[in-house]
Amino acid sequence: MRTTMRRIPAAFATLALAVLGAAVPATGAHASTASTASTASSVATASPTATASEACEKAWHNARNGYLYLYSGFDCSGYLAATATDDPDWGDSSGSVHGVAVGTVRSLLFKASSGLAVELYAGPDYTGSHVCLTRSESYLTELGGAEFPDGTPLDAARSHRWTWASACDDRFLG
């Protein structure tokens, strides 16, 4: 009986560690994977290395609050633009994001205050399918594979605007 009593606390400790391991990701990445709420198959793949997560994590800690950052490379590399304002067309020559060709953005970083979100649109002038990024989705290390609700690849985003997270309904990534 004494041996059985010693095994019970050990079994509970093992179970607790297993549950904790399943609930907490080991990489420390804020949002290395993402999916739209309405489309379960729309998933941005996570970076395969810890170094990649570390790169986005470092970029996030150095980022200015209230900004959206666009990168041409995976894992928050290849800086393209940073913006704290709306931009109706990333491909034109005006606004805070300009000259960004369709498919150029490979990763995103978003550092916002609580309650704020940024809506990404598939088309210019805030048209087409759209999704929201919130504070909990601090960065996406690779946009390849992620989609807008209509199936348009997320890396084809053309415009964005700031909004309150409460106005996004169910159009969230993550």
Side-chain angles (χ1 to χ4, degrees), residues 6-17:
R6 287 185 206 158
R7 289 184 186 158
I8 290 173
F12 282 124
T14 302
L15 179 61
L17 286 173

Side-chain angles (χ1 to χ4, degrees), residues 73-139:
F74 302 116
D75 310 315
C76 304
S77 65
Y79 173 87
L80 289 170
T83 178
T85 60
D86 300 347
D87 195 314
D89 189 351
W90 293 355
D92 66 9
S93 60
S94 64
S96 55
V97 178
H98 49 84
V100 175
V102 172
T104 303
V105 178
R106 299 280 186 251
S107 57
L108 296 170
L109 185 146
F110 177 60
K111 190 169 186 178
S113 302
S114 180
L116 286 179
V118 65
E119 287 182 293
L120 299 175
Y121 288 84
D125 299 316
Y126 319 117
T127 61
S129 192
H130 55 283
V131 295
C132 287
L133 296 175
T134 65
R135 181 177 164 177
S136 65
E137 293 133 356
S138 302
Y139 50 78

Side-chain angles (χ1 to χ4, degrees), residues 25-34 46 52-62 76 108-112 134-141 173-174:
T27 63
H30 290 268
S32 59
T33 61
S53 295
E54 290 170 7
C56 282
E57 188 73 18
K58 183 178 179 181
W60 187 85
H61 285 291
N62 291 323
C76 304
L108 296 170
L109 185 146
F110 177 60
K111 190 169 186 178
T134 65
R135 181 177 164 177
S136 65
E137 293 133 356
S138 302
Y139 50 78
L140 301 173
T141 62
L173 286 177

